[in-house]
Each structure stands twice: as C-alpha cells, then as structure tokens.
Amino acid sequence: MRQQARVVVIGGGAMGVSLLYHLAKRGWSDVMLVERQELTAGSTWHAAGLCTHFAHNATIMEMRAHSVRLYREILTAETGLPTGFHPSGALRITRSQERIDEFRHVQGLGRFVGHDFRILSPGELKEIYPLCHTDGIIGAIYEPNDGHVDPTLATNAMAAGARSRGAEIVRHNPVLSIERKPSGEWLVRTEQGDIVAEHVVNAAGTWCREIGAMMGIDLPVVPMLHQYVVTDTVPEIAERIAAGAKELPIIRDPEESWYLRQERDGYIVGPYEKSAHPWAIDGVPPEFGMELLPPDLDRVEHIIALAMERVPALANAGIKTVVNGPITFTPDANPLVGPAFGLGNAWLLTGSSMGVMEGGGAGRFLADWIVDGSPPSDALAIDPRRFGNYADRDYRIDKAVEGFGLQFGIHYPNEERQAGRPRRTTPALELQKSQGAVLGAAYGWERPNWFAVKSFDGAPQLTFRKPGWFDAVRGECLGVQGSVGAIDLSAFSKFEIGGPGASAFMASLGANRPPERHGRIGLIHVLTAKGGLASEFTVTRFGDQGFYLTSAALAERHDEDLLRARAAAFPSVTIDNVTERRGVLGVMGPRARDLLQKICEADLSNAAFPWLSAQILRVAGIRAAALRVSYAGELGWELHVQLAQFGKLYEAIIKAGAQFDLRPFGIYALNAMRLEKGYRAWGADLTTERTPLEAGLGALVKADGRTFVGREAMLERAGKSAWTMVLIEIDDDGDRLPFYAHAVMQAGRPVGIVTSGSHGFRTGKTIALAYLRPGVAAEGLTVSILGQELSARELKKAPYDPDNLRLRGLQADAPAAFMPA
C-alpha cells in the first residue's frame, strides 16, 4: 500500500470508484482509494440500478447522462468488461395536468442540453408498454435513452479502468482517523498504515457522517430505509421473451409513488412511502456492511397494490426477494459534490439517494473540479456549501423524511417546502406575518416572498403557469413605483474585511477595482481560474483598510471559503462573517428620502448623500450603515443594523411610512423589478459557466494593468467562442410566464437558455434574461415555455428608467404605471 498519494478517496461505492477512475483518466495516476470492506459494500450493491436523464437542473441532467454513456458504452470499450447495462428506456405516467407541465418543462431543458424526452398520449403509452392499463392516465413522458445497470459490474469495470491507469485500491482497510499536518497535507490513518495525501475525499456513502466527523465537519445526511421487491417469473414477461419482444421500459407512477422494471423474466417493484423511516441517525452500527434489514412490507404493500392495478401482470408472480436497505438523503435530495466547507483540499462526494444513477457523472464532475480548480459547470445545485450551520440534527432528519416522501413530488418553480422551518429569523418576523407575509426560506432565513392582500386567504396552489400571487405582487411593484416600499434583505451574506493588507487584497480580488474612497460603493465579480463568475460582492469602503461586503444569501459558505482562500497570500487580512449579526432593511421608491428624513437627522439630499455612497447614521435612534443602492431600480437605501435592533427599525419604518402609503414588498416583487432594469442575479444569471464579459458586465471589468485570478482565461474566451447574455421581451399568452431553464429557439433549433424571467409590472412587459450560444444573432427568437413557442425580441436597453434618473433621484414624479385593461 502506498504511503503517499495525491488524492485519497475514502469509500468504494459507485461514486468513489467513479472519482478514482476519472482522476486517473485525467492523468492523476498517483491516487488511491481505501474501502472498509469490499467494493460496493454499503448501498451500491443492493441498488436497483436505475439510470435516467430526467432532472430539473442542467448540471444534474448532464451528470446522469454521463453515467448512462459510461455504463452503456465507454467502460466496456475501454476495459473489455461488461457493466450489465440494459437500454430499456423509461416512462413516467400521470393523471395530472400539472405533472404534464412539469414533463414539458423538463423536455424543454432537455432540448437545450441535447437529451431526448417525448410526451406521449395514453394510446402511445399503451403501444410502448402493452402490459399497462391506461385508465385515468392523461399522458406520459418517455425517455428512450434511459435504462438500468448492474451496480457491481459497473463499479468493478470502473475499478479496472482506474487500476489500468496506475490508481491503487485497498480493500478491507477501515479509516481510523484523519488529521491535518503542519504542512497542510492530510494524514489518513488506516488499519493497514498511514497515508499522507494532498487531497482527501469523503465518498463514504452510508458512513459519510462518521468520516465527516473525522474531518471535523457535520454533514446534513440521513440514511433512509428503502425497500423493493424482486418477483419470481411473470408469465406475461416470459411470453414476451419467448416471442422475441424487446425488454419493457422502466415505468414510474409519480402520483402513486412506485417504479417498476423488468428483471429477467420477472419484475422489480420499488415503492416510496410517504411515512419515511430514517435509520442509524446518530451512527451506523460498526458491524454493518453488506447486510440488509428485515423486510417490512406492511409499510409499502398498499403502494405495491396500486402498481398491480396499473400493471396487472405484476400480480401474477410470487415474491423472490425483498431488499430493505439504507440509502442516503440530504435536505434537498441532491448529492454533496464539491469542497468541504472551511477545509482546504477536502472534498465531498456523497449523500446521493441515487448513487449508481449519479455516480458515473458525479465522479467525473468532481475529478474535473479537483484537477482544474473550478467546477466544469454550474455547481450550485450540488455544492455541499449550499447548506449552512442551520442544518442541524433536527433539520437534516425533518428534511430527509420530507424528501423521501416527496421523491416523486412535482418540482414547481418557486416551491417552498415546509419541513425543518423556521431556522434563522429576524425580530421583525411576527410583524411581517401580521402584514400578510407569505414566507420563503433562503439559506435558513425566513423572509417574505410576497404579502397576501386582504381578500386572499393562504398561499396559492403551486403551478407552472400564472401564479396565484400575481396580482398581489403587481400591487407591491406599483406601490414601490408610486411611493415607497420596505423589504427585508437580512438574508444577505455579510463580511467585514480589515487589517493592514485589506486594500491590496481587495484590489486583487476580482474583475473590478474596489472603491477608492471612504464611503463609496462598488460591485466586484470574483472569477474562477477558467474565467467564470465565482461570486458577486457589493463592496463598501469604510476608511483606509476597512471593507464591508454583501453577497447572495445562498453563497454564505461558498463566499467565506472563497474569501479566505484568496486572502491566504495576505496574512495580515482579517475576514469576519457577520451574516447572523446584521439585519438589512431596504427602503425603496420615489418617497424613500421623504420617509427616512422624518426619522433621520442627517441630510439625505443628492448633494449630501449621492448614489453609490454610504454613511453611518442614526435612523429612528438606531445606528445604521446606510447604503444608497437599490436593486429595485428606484431611489432607495439599504439600512444595515445590528440584528437585535432590526425589529425596532422595521416597526419605525412602517410607522413613519404610513403617511406615504408605504407598501411592504417581498422577494418576488424585487425579482420582477430587477429584471425590468436588466440586473443580473448570482446563482441564476451569473454562474461559473460564463464570464462577466459574456454576462454583459463589461463596464464592471477593469482588466488593463491589473492581475487577478481568471483574467487571462476571461479575455481568451471573448470573441467567436463567447456566449452572449441578452435581455428579451416575450409575447406571453397570459398563462405561460417565464421563470428559468426554458430553451430559446431560432429556426427550429435550440440556441440558448433562459436563466431568469418574470412579468414586469411597471412596464407591462414579460421579460427574461437568456444566454445565446456563440455566433447566434438575437433575431427571430422564440422561447419554449411548457411546449409552446412564444415570440421574443431583444431589448437593447432596460425597459424601465434606462438612464437611471429615478435611481439617482433626479426624477421625482413616477410615470403612469402600466395597468391592464
């Protein structure tokens, strides 16, 4: 066994072995994997082996697609070993129009990414799956390139491919402890000896929390018990085989929560019950390995009975085997793939409830990230740092139970699931509830998404079409435009940068220069090594060496890691994460100054307090850092105060705003208003996949005479190979409105993708931001929304206040608001 390696992977399931294989394939042969028992021990060996392309996120869709390609053709071609892949195709059936809308949305995303999904009528479904009754079914989605694989064969083929390139696999070698050496290297102590490694990867699956504890991190992962039944011979399938018929596709019924696939001349049926069962929450038994738990069919027999009604042939077979074993769930049911928070050169590849389905692609994704220093595509949906310190024991259990029960749930846009809440709150929460706030959660923070009007009782039904909050959000936007509104922005991530080297550090951080004078505000985009947009910071300078940074709520741990990594060359720099100690209240609209002037003695005129400047002042007697910025595109301020004082400030603003008809507004209204200004949003419009030049942020790039990470790569990507972000107006039909991940079409081919969209209530335009492929002119465009192609055209300027007169406070009177007939 090696005593030194560039990478040590801990865990020999499909995901860990895939990473080893792909690292070796990238030329990193000095890598090794240690496994406590045999390869596939854990959840891999008892997995049903289903492989799909179906996903609501392009990165996850491509990750799953690579798994299919790998198992179907690449591994056998390279190693000569079988993987047991069956290209059966797959079906999802439904009785729900909302589900059909979901299918059409996934189909549209697949069209852009390059994967085939077909919407079928009940008759077409019957042709493809003649053993299925179609009573009550209104349609289905067919995935012709899906299939299933033998997990053990596939894992062993990947292991052979890794070994052939110099990688080492050591079985029956439990990890005893993990330490950080003074050199920064990792010391992994195992039963067979110590290993010193540059990188360590936790791919331990069911045991990931135990390995995480050795690394010094608490992972939000819970093992959940999942059962499936393997049947004896099914006569109808045996007859099909004898007649030379092709294998039946996998079939799923999301409403009844089961899947069914052909297994030789029988079936495998897998139910997902709503009353899910966590297992080994506080530690997997040391002796547990390649065992199963006793069958517990009482939990799932009602679901299996439903499957028998839909496919009567299933009822004609006896039970051969019941598999009852643990699979891991994270709070959002997506895997953890990427850096471990706060630990350099420590990585996670775990937490997948579909480790075989995602393992092939996830291993390649992380290998590319480790080798290249930045992710190969947008990682937000799988980055482990998407969860913060709020994801404690109760949270992870509540969310895992919820996620298991909603394994086949519809994934609506703007969906807010309720388990595990609240976690992070502000002192204004109860007052906001009394105002009708309908709350969402952002990185654990409860915040108003919108405010229900008096005639509306409760949250609207979730939908892919015109939402129930549409009119309420219209009122919020027009209220802000006509007078003034207040919005809770406390979920922002917030950092203070100080120390003797702070100015030099900030000058090196990103594509823009930091503000040069005290009290000035700027925007800095930090790049990856490949020139992509890693993060976006609003930067306020206080004094010679003091900076206050805010960024997206979801970026808190991501951005703290980024700042600390980039500051490593500046040892005198201090970084303080003050997110949980500060509250932020936005006051925006043409009467914002008038309102604030009533409870603030400072001069807030343009001359004394210009746009993009900041001052420390007292508002209603509360010390506040007042930043004159407004994401809504109106005259406005952000007031940053101690969180303990936030409730008092909110109450004072509401009271003082009564004479101005102040309107509380939420994140949905802010999103609509920022799109009318063409403002980009990190995590949606700004990701690691695109450079700031491609995102249309050239005015914020100051590359001449400066050195910063990603500079050369960003400039090299400019030109013929560059994508282009465009602001477009869509001729919506009043029912289908854009949100995200819609294919942009030109002459019948996909040429781009919508990254965010909304109706703009101040302009009466339906607006979206989209990226177009290199060389595509913004002409003759349509946007495919739920299967309907809607005409679209580029907006050369922001449709609302393109000259920023209102933002600068130079235009006091609001234009007549757009009101529909």
Side-chain angles (χ1 to χ4, degrees):
M1 185 184 80
R2 293 173 181 162
Q3 295 180 325
Q4 189 120 11
R6 196 167 190 181
V7 181
V8 170
V9 181
I10 302 170
M15 297 187 83
V17 177
S18 171
L19 172 61
L20 192 76
Y21 164 78
H22 284 98
L23 284 170
K25 200 167 182 179
R26 287 294 308 268
W28 284 29
S29 58
D30 186 15
V31 294
M32 64 186 300
L33 181 148
V34 293
E35 162 55 43
R36 67 191 296 269
Q37 294 186 341
E38 292 286 350
L39 295 185
T40 76
S43 59
T44 296
W45 77 272
H46 64 72
L50 309 185
C51 296
T52 185
H53 294 73
F54 191 92
H56 302 80
N57 172 275
T59 292
I60 294 176
M61 185 179 286
E62 177 52 31
M63 195 167 70
R64 293 174 177 177
H66 180 72
S67 293
V68 170
R69 291 192 296 268
L70 188 68
Y71 304 150
R72 184 182 60 204
E73 54 208 35
I74 297 173
L75 283 172
T76 300
E78 286 184 359
T79 68
L81 297 174
T83 64
F85 185 81
H86 293 245
S88 61
L91 292 157
R92 295 167 196 262
I93 61 177
T94 187
R95 306 153 192 76
S96 163
Q97 184 57 52
E98 288 290 336
R99 184 83 63 176
I100 290 290
D101 283 347
E102 179 187 38
F103 290 168
R104 292 200 181 280
H105 183 61
V106 170
Q107 181 186 41
L109 175 61
R111 196 172 185 185
F112 167 74
V113 177
H115 303 304
D116 186 18
F117 298 91
R118 304 173 193 171
I119 306 297
L120 305 181
S121 67
E124 292 169 323
L125 166 63
K126 186 71 173 178
E127 291 179 9
I128 292 175
Y129 206 103
L131 301 187
C132 169
H133 282 340
T134 58
D135 299 350
I137 298 299
I138 64 171
I141 189 168
Y142 178 48
E143 306 159 64
N145 296 313
D146 285 9
H148 58 94
V149 70
D150 183 308
T152 299
L153 291 178
T155 302
N156 286 329
M158 290 188 287
R163 289 189 183 104
S164 71
R165 293 175 170 89
E168 182 178 4
I169 296 174
V170 185
R171 297 171 299 137
H172 304 288
N173 190 24
V175 172
L176 304 177
S177 67
I178 302 172
E179 305 167 20
R180 199 71 184 249
K181 292 169 63 69
S183 64
E185 296 172 299
W186 291 98
L187 175 62
V188 181
R189 297 190 183 277
T190 75
E191 277 194 358
Q192 297 185 31
D194 294 349
I195 309 164
V196 175
E198 180 182 348
H199 299 266
V200 63
V201 183
N202 181 347
T206 306
W207 293 269
C208 69
R209 284 185 50 78
E210 284 79 357
I211 298 300
M214 295 181 192
M215 299 167 71
I217 52 177
D218 182 27
L219 297 184
V221 177
V222 177
M224 305 293 293
L225 294 182
H226 172 55
Q227 299 184 89
Y228 65 81
V229 174
V230 184
T231 76
D232 284 323
T233 298
V234 174
E236 291 87 343
I237 293 180
E239 291 171 7
R240 287 176 54 84
I241 293 172
K246 62 186 295 187
E247 181 177 342
L248 288 165
I250 301 161
I251 186 169
R252 297 174 175 91
D253 188 321
E255 277 96 55
E256 293 181 350
S257 201
W258 53 262
Y259 62 83
L260 187 67
R261 80 160 174 85
Q262 184 175 329
E263 172 69 359
R264 297 185 175 88
D265 60 357
Y267 270 128
I268 284 178
V269 56
Y272 279 91
E273 65 272 32
K274 302 300 181 184
S275 55
H277 285 244
W279 178 78
I281 294 168
D282 296 311
V284 178
E287 68 279 4
F288 186 80
M290 299 186 78
E291 295 86 25
L292 294 172
L293 281 81
D296 189 6
L297 289 180
D298 288 346
R299 281 169 34 203
V300 297
E301 62 182 3
H302 62 290
I303 304 175
I304 295 174
L306 293 172
M308 290 176 175
E309 291 180 15
R310 181 59 58 193
V311 184
L314 177 61
N316 296 333
I319 294 176
K320 179 188 294 184
T321 307
V322 178
V323 174
N324 185 17
I327 57 177
T328 53
F329 269 75
T330 65
D332 61 6
N334 286 342
L336 305 178
V337 182
F341 171 66
L343 301 174
N345 289 350
W347 305 84
L348 302 177
L349 182 63
T350 193
S352 176
S353 62
M354 307 173 186
V356 176
M357 179 189 298
E358 296 173 340
R364 182 182 71 162
F365 192 97
L366 187 58
D368 289 344
W369 198 340
I370 292 172
V371 172
D372 297 332
S374 55
S377 59
D378 177 28
L380 185 58
I382 56 176
D383 190 323
R385 297 166 297 183
R386 68 188 185 274
F387 303 113
N389 61 6
Y390 61 89
D392 57 15
R393 182 183 186 277
D394 289 345
Y395 181 87
R396 66 182 173 90
I397 295 170
D398 290 346
K399 297 301 287 186
V401 170
E402 178 187 60
F404 187 98
L406 292 173
Q407 180 76 347
F408 286 122
I410 297 176
H411 291 258
Y412 290 101
N414 301 309
E415 182 179 15
E416 298 281 356
R417 293 183 174 177
Q418 299 303 311
R421 295 170 56 186
R423 274 298 177 273
R424 292 165 131 182
T425 62
T426 77
L429 182 61
E430 293 306 316
L431 178 53
Q432 290 165 347
K433 288 181 180 178
S434 73
Q435 294 173 308
V438 180
L439 300 168
Y443 215 69
W445 290 97
E446 294 291 317
R447 65 179 183 183
N449 281 337
W450 58 284
F451 288 81
V453 295
K454 292 180 180 179
S455 61
F456 191 90
D457 182 18
Q461 180 182 348
L462 291 166
T463 180
F464 286 84
R465 296 173 184 261
K466 181 180 176 180
W469 44 258
F470 189 87
D471 289 336
V473 171
R474 179 206 305 277
E476 292 173 28
C477 293
L478 299 186
V480 173
Q481 179 193 37
S483 183
V484 63
I487 181 171
D488 186 346
L489 300 171
S490 300
F492 278 158
S493 302
K494 316 167 195 81
F495 306 92
E496 289 183 349
I497 312 295
S503 184
F505 165 59
M506 292 300 300
S508 72
L509 184 59
N512 200 2
R513 297 185 180 90
E516 296 180 353
R517 293 183 286 122
H518 167 76
R520 298 302 295 176
I521 301 171
L523 200 61
I524 291 181
H525 295 98
V526 184
L527 309 187
T528 69
K530 295 190 290 187
L533 280 149
S535 197
E536 178 183 67
F537 292 103
T538 298
V539 179
T540 305
R541 186 164 196 152
F542 288 114
D544 183 46
Q545 298 289 345
F547 297 87
Y548 178 54
L549 279 58
T550 61
S551 59
L554 296 177
E556 183 182 339
R557 283 191 162 180
H558 172 279
D559 284 354
E560 183 172 349
D561 265 355
L562 185 152
L563 290 170
R564 295 191 186 283
R566 299 290 171 90
F570 301 86
S572 62
V573 167
T574 61
I575 298 170
D576 189 9
N577 182 344
V578 298
T579 300
E580 292 190 325
R581 307 202 299 267
R582 301 281 170 80
V584 183
L585 182 62
V587 182
M588 301 171 186
R591 304 300 302 275
R593 179 185 287 119
D594 299 334
L595 187 162
L596 291 173
Q597 204 70 77
K598 286 178 62 65
I599 52 176
C600 177
E601 295 181 359
D603 183 357
L604 304 181
S605 66
N606 279 342
F609 204 146
W611 181 47
L612 295 181
S613 68
Q615 297 180 25
I616 305 296
L617 23 104
R618 289 197 171 272
V619 181
I622 300 167
R623 187 176 188 274
L627 281 56
R628 196 174 152 195
V629 292
S630 172
Y631 202 41
E634 302 282 356
L635 173 68
W637 281 261
E638 290 176 4
L639 305 176
H640 296 242
V641 301
Q642 292 299 312
L643 185 62
Q645 297 292 313
F646 183 77
K648 182 180 176 183
L649 175 67
Y650 190 87
E651 188 173 350
I653 292 292
I654 297 301
K655 183 177 179 180
Q659 76 176 83
F660 303 103
D661 295 324
L662 177 139
R663 185 74 180 253
F665 68 104
I667 293 300
Y668 292 173
L670 186 64
N671 184 59
M673 290 188 281
R674 67 97 180 170
L675 280 164
E676 290 177 305
K677 291 291 293 178
Y679 293 158
R680 279 65 166 157
W682 180 88
D685 314 308
L686 306 179
T687 74
T688 56
E689 295 179 11
R690 305 286 165 247
T691 73
L693 298 179
E694 290 175 308
L697 301 173
L700 298 171
V701 173
K702 304 294 188 293
D704 293 344
R706 298 181 63 236
T707 300
F708 52 89
V709 172
R711 177 186 180 277
E712 287 71 26
M714 173 191 68
L715 296 175
E716 287 175 7
R717 288 169 61 175
K720 291 184 179 180
S721 64
W723 292 61
T724 305
M725 173 155 269
V726 292
L727 183 67
I728 57 176
E729 178 184 0
I730 300 171
D731 294 335
D732 72 83
D733 60 4
D735 185 35
R736 294 173 176 85
L737 298 172
F739 39 96
Y740 50 77
H742 310 292
V744 180
M745 310 296 294
Q746 186 182 67
R749 64 187 182 98
V751 297
I753 190 74
V754 166
T755 53
S756 59
S758 175
H759 186 74
F761 298 98
R762 296 175 298 185
T763 59
K765 298 179 183 294
T766 295
I767 301 166
L769 284 164
Y771 281 109
L772 301 182
R773 297 186 192 274
V776 173
E779 301 171 352
L781 302 178
T782 61
V783 176
S784 179
I785 302 180
L786 307 182
Q788 185 73 33
E789 291 195 19
L790 305 175
S791 297
R793 68 201 61 81
E794 182 182 12
L795 298 170
K796 297 292 187 181
K797 293 182 178 180
Y800 188 74
D801 188 28
D803 298 319
N804 288 332
L805 298 179
R806 296 174 65 81
L807 193 63
R808 294 172 182 267
L810 301 176
Q811 182 176 324
D813 296 328
F818 171 81
M819 296 296 289

